[in-house]
Amino acid sequence: MIAPLMTSAPAPAVGSDIAPIPFSRLLRVEWSKATDTRAARWLIGLVGIATVAVMLAPLLARGSIDQNYVTYLSFGAIPLTVLLPVVSILTLTSEWSQRTVLTTFVQEPRRSRVVNAKVTVSAIIALAAAAFGGAVTALAVSIAALSGRPVEANLHPAELIGFVLFVLLNLMMGVAFGALLDNPAAAIVLFFGLPTVFGIVGSLVKSIGQWLDPSRTFDWVLNGDWDGHVAKIAVSGLVWLVMPLAAGIVRTVRREIK
């Protein structure tokens, strides 16, 4: 008697019943990476202390510094846009500098989702920083007014929006440099060095400075000075944010992991 031929059912596709990682979970993980490290905690703490400390300048130098809300906001924006972008750079370069890139992209092979989560976390940090800077500024203006000095405390919505956008643009610029380069030291050096070079060139060649000097174009955003500057701000944002960020995302998605 011939035994019947035993046939086995086809094996199910590996991972076919596994749901993708929710984007909210990616956000929580990237938020932890961005804020729950010793370097990030020190930087964020230093930003908070510096934001409070710089307010002493307009409070104490009342005779040489304009006493109005926009000036106080400008001082509050200094630590937020000088120190905090380093956190964004470290967030975008951490996978490569800490050699966790293989683990991260094995758990989430769609690399663009990881980059999107990092960008979103940086934007949240920027908005939180702008809110903190605005609160510190409001407190400083109140102290100045209570001291009896004449302070122009009226703040137009365009100026408040400009302050928030100014902080956001600077942090997103850090994101763009971090995405483009996998080395945090190189990204930090170029983040501070290239705008300085363009600022020097722009001071010599006005036509270049008005379009490509971020210290000038972003300053228009901070002051809410949009009249006649929208195109120049857009071009500057395209060069310093959109193009390097897009190139960095493409590089991250296509790059070979070793």
Side-chain angles (χ1 to χ4, degrees):
M1 182 177 180
I2 301 175
L5 182 63
M6 301 297 294
T7 59
S8 58
V14 177
S16 59
D17 58 345
I18 300 177
I21 298 176
F23 190 72
S24 58
R25 188 182 303 169
L26 290 177
L27 283 179
R28 290 196 299 271
V29 171
E30 295 304 330
W31 176 267
S32 179
K33 291 179 183 178
T35 60
D36 197 19
T37 64
R38 184 176 300 177
R41 288 196 296 267
W42 273 100
L43 275 172
I44 293 173
L46 185 59
V47 168
I49 294 172
T51 303
V52 175
V54 296
M55 286 300 169
L56 294 175
L59 283 174
L60 298 178
R62 54 183 298 180
S64 56
I65 297 177
D66 293 338
Q67 297 296 303
N68 56 65
Y69 217 120
V70 175
T71 300
Y72 276 71
L73 276 177
S74 299
F75 275 92
I78 294 174
L80 301 180
T81 55
V82 172
L83 298 175
L84 208 54
V86 177
V87 176
S88 296
I89 292 174
L90 295 177
T91 301
L92 269 292
T93 59
S94 62
E95 309 297 342
W96 309 97
S97 62
Q98 298 178 13
R99 301 184 184 277
T100 59
V101 62
L102 182 60
T103 302
T104 297
F105 291 145
V106 164
Q107 295 179 353
E108 178 47 89
R110 291 168 294 183
R111 303 181 192 181
S112 59
R113 297 186 77 228
V114 177
V115 177
N116 289 337
K118 292 178 179 292
V119 173
T120 303
V121 165
S122 296
I124 294 172
I125 292 175
L127 295 176
F132 174 76
V136 172
T137 300
L139 179 61
V141 171
S142 299
I143 293 174
L146 290 174
S147 66
R149 73 181 66 176
V151 180
E152 185 182 342
N154 295 328
L155 183 65
H156 299 288
E159 296 167 343
L160 180 59
I161 294 173
F163 170 73
V164 175
L165 287 177
F166 179 75
V167 176
L168 184 62
L169 285 171
N170 278 274
L171 263 74
M172 288 298 103
M173 184 173 162
V175 167
F177 275 81
L180 184 62
L181 303 170
D182 58 8
N183 187 299
I188 291 171
V189 169
L190 287 179
F191 173 81
F192 290 108
L194 281 180
T196 302
V197 171
F198 273 85
I200 295 173
V201 174
S203 64
L204 300 175
V205 184
K206 301 297 183 181
S207 59
I208 294 178
Q210 291 179 356
W211 293 88
L212 296 178
D213 180 9
S215 63
R216 181 181 303 182
T217 57
F218 291 177
D219 189 62
W220 290 330
V221 176
L222 176 61
N223 294 315
D225 187 7
W226 297 93
D227 292 339
H229 299 143
V230 174
K232 298 173 182 177
I233 293 170
V235 170
S236 183
L238 178 67
V239 171
W240 293 103
L241 271 76
V242 179
M243 292 174 60
L245 180 58
I249 293 175
V250 172
R251 182 171 183 248
T252 300
V253 171
R254 297 183 177 182
R255 182 178 179 181
E256 180 181 357
I257 299 176
K258 300 180 181 179

